[in-house]
Amino acid sequence: MAKQKDTYDASKIVVLDQLDAVRKRPAMYIGDTSEYGLHHLIVEIVDNAIDEVLAGYGDKVEITLNKDGSFTVKDYGRGIPIDMHKSGKPALEVIMTTLHSGGKFDRKAYKVAGGLHGVGLAVVNALSEKGSVEVRKDGKVYEQEYSRGKPLAGLKQTGTAKDSGTTFTFKPDKDIFGNVTFDFSRLLKRFRQSAFLNAKLTVVVEDKRKDEDRENGTKYLPRLQKYYFENGVKSYIRSINKGEKYINHRIFYAQEETDNVDVEVAIQYIDDLQETILTFANNILNPEGGTHATGFKTAITKSINDYLQQIAGEKEKEIRLTGDDVREGLTAIISIKLPDPQFEGQTKIKLNNPEAASAVRKVVEKNLKMFLEENPKDAKRIIEKNIVTFKARQAAKAAKEAVIRKGALEGSSLPGKLADCQSRDAEKCELFVVEGDSAGGPAKQGRDRKTQAILPLFGKPINSEKYRIDKVIQNEKLKYLIIALGCGIGETLDVSKIRYHKIILMADADVDGAHIVTLYLTFFFRHLKKVIESGYLYVAQPPLYKVEISKDEFYWVKDDEEHENLLRDLKKKGREPKNTQRFKGLGEMNFDQLWDTTMNPETRVLKQITIEDAEEANRTFDVLMGNDVLPRKKFIQTNAKKAELDI
Ligand code: 0RA
């Protein structure tokens, strides 16, 4: 007898030490002590109860938020065992007070482990100022109460029961949690998901708190929610894709156990671009996927390509769909259950078990092949959608290659019109992009040829239909510009290769000139943003007037407003211009005038373009191009979003 008592005392000490450890470092066990940790308490208890349902006992879990700030989770399973443990305490008490109690009573032992932290009842109990458990079993009701994890008294039979199951009530400890108010909507979201992931499980969530004790945003939510989904993850897909245009009307669904991994998958394509793949391991969402996601992706790519080859005509035989092709517009849920889930990192957002990859791959390959063959209409629509995606990707690739072929990269010959400078020191070099040949002449004549290069380009560079990069590149002027810059464009852009650290747009000081500058700024903003960010883009500020007072005294005047101001000032001083020249364009200046006013680093005025300036130009551009943006948007959406072909 004495011996037995000793063991009892010894294990009791260990138990108290453990509770202490949990209360000292709660975050180690439940993630944190704020929102996440607080809600995790309920999730942990509910997942335990769901495991009992998954084991085949009971079909309902009820969750209640009580008036006093506690929560209750009730199931209709077998009831936690209350027989004596070797420590001399009832099994139930051991489970409620011991970390990772192991063996027969550990969740892992009778079914796959659930909760993200999988910490068990004892942790939740230790972090609750009040806890109680009621077991209905063999016609009897047993109860025990706890405070901060310690039993207040032994387990007692308190009545008789007509059914069986377990009911827990816990009140989270204010000393541990900063805020102990549960967010009802957060719980609804989580437990709705639990219901989706466990077909035919009923989850009832009820909020019995007083209005003033409820989270602000949840005041108007119905206080009672019941979730039941006959078709589990298939219903989940229906709910996600609600209101979308379906490609396959019949949702693909498969559930099979292979190599000790239970795999459940549902997929549906919609007429859209995005890919939604949700992966779960033991009812836990893995936001970063992992091995189950990889296995799925491999399988769907292979199955769809195999089927395509099976039905392909001459034209389609050559097509090889990539993973990206087959996942565009795809909604998929992959939910697996496996005995010993391994997660990557602290937050366990990614699954690591290699057996999950092969299991998912096997199940999807086998069943998807069958599905496609048995549903030829849906299969055809899926294949057609994938081929459209494939073609858009090809077009994007072709466009990119065109950029390279046409010499947007370094090494291609410089355009003949470019009057390059002698220096190869990009920091010192300036490229004047000059509108029109007429201005090109004086600019070439007037420049400092050591450091200043001139590229004359004609007229407006882009028009409304030519907004794609492959079109842009077919535009001679912009092609020249890209080649001259030497740093590539779009995906191949490498600013470190740029040949000039000042790119100076030089256009007439009139409306047309402003328009042209807008177009160039838009072009840079959309395809050469880094050039702007590096501070390499400038706009020259050529004068509109030359106002001569005398032979030796004259003024360069930027615009009409400045011109009026000048005339007023002169008048006040009783003076009058001898001669006023208004430049219709840059081409009207002679080379020394152009040098003095616009090109000479000592005397010129340059405006450095910021991203904000370019953004503004970009907006103006859309306005200039009229409201013909709908078909354009449509094109981008349906063809080439991924390739970012839109200018
Ligand atoms: C271990 C064994 C048995 C039931 C349970 C655990 C059990 C655990 C939880 C957790 C929440 N609700 C639960 N319901 C049952 C089977 C015991 C027996 O067959 O007597």
Side-chain angles (χ1 to χ4, degrees):
M1 280 310 275
K3 218 173 181 184
Q4 228 182 356
K5 203 164 180 275
D6 274 348
T7 1
Y8 180 82
D9 284 347
S11 67
K12 197 168 167 186
I13 290 164
V14 173
V15 167
L16 288 181
D17 276 355
Q18 285 183 345
L19 295 184
D20 228 34
V22 174
R23 291 181 57 82
K24 271 205 179 110
R25 291 194 182 74
M28 262 185 58
Y29 298 86
I30 54 166
D32 64 34
T33 53
S34 54
E35 285 280 287
Y36 174 84
L38 178 75
H39 292 82
H40 186 68
L41 299 182
I42 308 194
V43 167
E44 180 67 27
I45 302 302
V46 171
D47 282 357
N48 274 300
I50 292 179
D51 277 350
E52 181 67 3
V53 176
L54 292 181
Y57 304 97
D59 56 8
K60 188 164 69 170
V61 174
E62 293 164 357
I63 302 142
T64 311
L65 298 182
N66 303 309
K67 279 201 172 78
D68 67 350
S70 66
F71 67 88
T72 297
V73 177
K74 181 174 184 183
D75 70 54
Y76 298 82
R78 291 165 292 181
I80 294 187
I82 40 102
D83 47 318
M84 277 302 162
H85 183 245
K86 62 179 190 292
S87 62
K89 291 186 285 183
L92 175 65
E93 186 176 327
V94 175
I95 294 172
M96 294 297 284
T97 53
T98 320
L99 298 186
H100 306 295
S101 38
K104 180 176 159 199
F105 309 122
D106 202 338
R107 254 203 291 150
K108 279 184 185 165
Y110 66 98
K111 190 64 199 178
V112 292
L116 183 55
H117 293 276
V119 289
L121 300 164
V123 167
V124 178
N125 198 15
L127 300 176
S128 299
E129 61 174 72
K130 272 192 335 194
S132 70
V133 59
E134 179 203 272
V135 169
R136 299 162 342 265
K137 204 178 175 71
D138 307 325
K140 297 187 180 95
V141 178
Y142 303 88
E143 279 180 67
Q144 189 168 28
E145 293 188 339
Y146 308 82
S147 174
R148 302 193 161 91
K150 283 179 229 162
L152 294 177
L155 179 71
K156 282 192 191 72
Q157 190 204 324
T158 55
T160 56
K162 288 202 182 72
D163 63 356
S164 70
T166 308
T167 307
F168 300 97
T169 299
F170 293 106
K171 186 176 183 194
D173 195 342
K174 281 197 201 67
D175 295 346
I176 303 280
F177 298 94
N179 175 4
V180 287
T181 306
F182 289 111
D183 178 346
F184 190 52
S185 72
R186 181 175 177 145
L187 295 171
L188 290 180
K189 247 186 235 150
R190 177 58 167 74
F191 297 131
R192 176 173 177 261
Q193 191 185 69
S194 300
F196 275 131
L197 292 175
N198 300 285
K200 300 183 171 62
L201 162 73
T202 300
V203 183
V204 183
V205 196
E206 187 172 9
D207 190 350
K208 287 185 171 165
R209 294 171 302 178
K210 286 192 221 129
D211 274 339
E212 59 265 37
D213 293 336
R214 302 180 85 190
E215 187 88 344
N216 269 339
T218 64
K219 279 214 165 63
Y220 304 101
L221 280 174
R223 287 169 167 276
L224 184 72
Q225 288 283 356
K226 237 185 206 191
Y227 299 118
Y228 170 90
F229 302 107
E230 180 83 28
N231 297 308
V233 298
K234 204 164 159 180
S235 316
Y236 203 170
I237 295 262
R238 282 242 180 278
S239 110
I240 293 173
N241 284 350
K242 204 169 164 188
E244 299 284 352
K245 223 172 118 195
Y246 309 136
I247 301 291
N248 55 315
H249 290 267
R250 197 160 162 199
I251 295 174
F252 164 79
Y253 174 81
Q255 187 274 321
E256 219 177 297
E257 190 178 322
T258 180
D259 307 329
N260 234 354
V261 183
D262 180 83
V263 180
E264 200 183 0
V265 181
I267 67 181
Q268 183 178 41
Y269 282 93
I270 52 167
D271 186 14
D272 204 320
L273 293 173
Q274 88 250 8
E275 150 189 342
T276 309
I277 301 181
L278 300 179
T279 42
F280 299 87
N282 296 348
N283 292 332
I284 304 154
L285 176 70
N286 311 118
E288 277 182 21
T291 44
H292 43 4
T294 311
F296 171 75
K297 288 177 184 175
T298 311
I300 192 166
T301 310
K302 179 172 185 333
S303 306
I304 298 224
N305 270 300
D306 285 355
Y307 184 75
L308 167 63
Q309 287 309 316
Q310 223 171 293
I311 60 155
E314 266 320 299
K315 271 199 275 171
E316 290 93 23
K317 276 270 181 265
E318 299 299 304
I319 295 178
R320 300 284 176 276
L321 301 167
T322 66
D324 285 334
D325 294 340
V326 302
R327 292 196 304 272
E328 192 174 292
L330 174 73
T331 308
I333 313 267
I334 299 112
S335 170
I336 67 166
K337 308 224 166 78
L338 73 175
D340 184 22
Q342 305 288 322
F343 297 102
E344 196 177 298
Q346 267 286 233
T347 42
K348 302 179 179 179
I349 46 183
K350 198 172 171 185
L351 185 74
N352 260 346
N353 302 55
E355 73 272 24
S358 54
V360 174
R361 189 166 48 73
K362 261 195 222 167
V363 172
V364 173
E365 271 175 19
K366 178 180 141 201
N367 290 280
L368 188 53
K369 180 178 161 64
M370 274 172 10
F371 174 88
L372 294 170
E373 282 164 6
E374 284 164 14
N375 299 280
K377 270 195 195 142
D378 276 341
K380 186 161 173 268
R381 288 164 58 90
I382 291 173
I383 292 287
E384 277 167 2
K385 174 177 171 74
N386 289 333
I387 290 179
V388 169
T389 311
F390 169 83
K391 286 188 173 157
R393 188 175 53 78
Q394 292 288 94
K397 204 172 137 211
K400 205 171 130 189
E401 277 164 7
V403 175
I404 295 163
R405 251 200 330 276
K406 298 225 174 187
L409 287 178
E410 82 276 28
S412 48
S413 61
L414 291 167
K417 284 168 174 248
L418 174 74
D420 209 359
C421 54
Q422 288 155 354
S423 170
R424 285 287 164 269
D425 180 355
E427 258 182 65
K428 292 196 185 106
C429 292
E430 302 180 343
L431 175 70
F432 285 85
V433 181
V434 186
E435 185 213 338
D437 268 347
S438 51
K444 279 181 194 174
Q445 261 184 302
R447 69 180 172 141
D448 171 356
R449 52 183 65 234
K450 272 212 266 342
T451 56
Q452 295 184 323
I454 311 293
L455 181 66
L457 298 173
F458 244 126
K460 292 177 193 173
I462 335 167
N463 67 39
S464 58
E465 298 110 333
K466 295 183 176 172
Y467 48 79
R468 276 169 41 194
I469 213 168
D470 53 339
K471 299 280 190 206
V472 164
I473 217 64
Q474 281 163 19
N475 176 297
E476 290 279 287
K477 281 190 304 296
L478 294 178
K479 192 179 85 183
Y480 287 150
L481 176 59
I482 297 159
I483 296 170
L485 293 180
C487 60
I489 185 171
E491 285 183 48
T492 63
L493 179 69
D494 179 357
V495 191
S496 70
K497 294 214 171 91
I498 204 160
R499 300 174 62 242
Y500 313 91
H501 279 196
K502 282 200 176 70
I503 299 138
I504 302 162
L505 305 176
M506 205 154 86
D508 290 337
D510 58 10
V511 177
D512 265 358
H515 193 165
I516 285 163
V517 168
T518 300
L519 296 180
Y520 275 111
L521 293 189
T522 303
F523 170 67
F524 273 88
F525 181 73
R526 296 188 187 180
H527 295 297
L528 297 161
K529 200 180 223 152
K530 282 239 169 66
V531 174
I532 303 174
E533 283 165 358
S534 306
Y536 297 160
L537 188 62
Y538 296 82
V539 175
Q541 312 273 283
L544 190 59
Y545 295 95
K546 182 182 182 183
V547 179
E548 282 181 86
I549 315 291
S550 67
K551 203 162 173 286
D552 304 314
E553 192 187 354
F554 60 87
Y555 295 90
W556 298 111
V557 180
K558 190 173 82 202
D559 53 27
D560 285 318
E561 191 185 330
E562 206 175 277
H563 185 227
E564 276 167 33
N565 291 344
L566 177 68
L567 293 183
R568 203 178 313 119
D569 282 357
L570 288 172
K571 211 172 189 172
K572 272 187 216 149
K573 291 180 196 148
R575 309 176 66 186
E576 215 178 307
K578 188 177 95 199
N579 188 21
T580 297
Q581 196 181 352
R582 187 179 197 278
F583 302 110
K584 277 219 218 74
L586 291 166
E588 290 193 350
M589 284 189 213
N590 38 31
F591 71 89
D592 53 340
Q593 287 178 328
L594 197 60
W595 169 254
D596 280 344
T597 60
T598 317
M599 294 177 71
N600 181 356
E602 307 289 326
T603 54
R604 72 187 176 193
V605 184
L606 289 185
K607 178 174 165 47
Q608 189 174 37
I609 297 303
T610 63
I611 277 291
E612 289 73 33
D613 297 329
E615 241 162 13
E616 166 99 48
N618 185 51
R619 276 193 298 274
T620 314
F621 176 88
D622 282 335
V623 178
L624 289 177
M625 288 308 159
N627 44 16
D628 205 17
V629 288
L630 256 183
R632 194 182 113 195
K633 264 204 179 131
K634 179 81 188 141
F635 170 85
I636 294 161
Q637 273 174 2
T638 52
N639 288 295
K641 189 204 164 205
K642 288 223 161 73
E644 288 179 1
L645 282 186
D646 53 320
I647 172 177

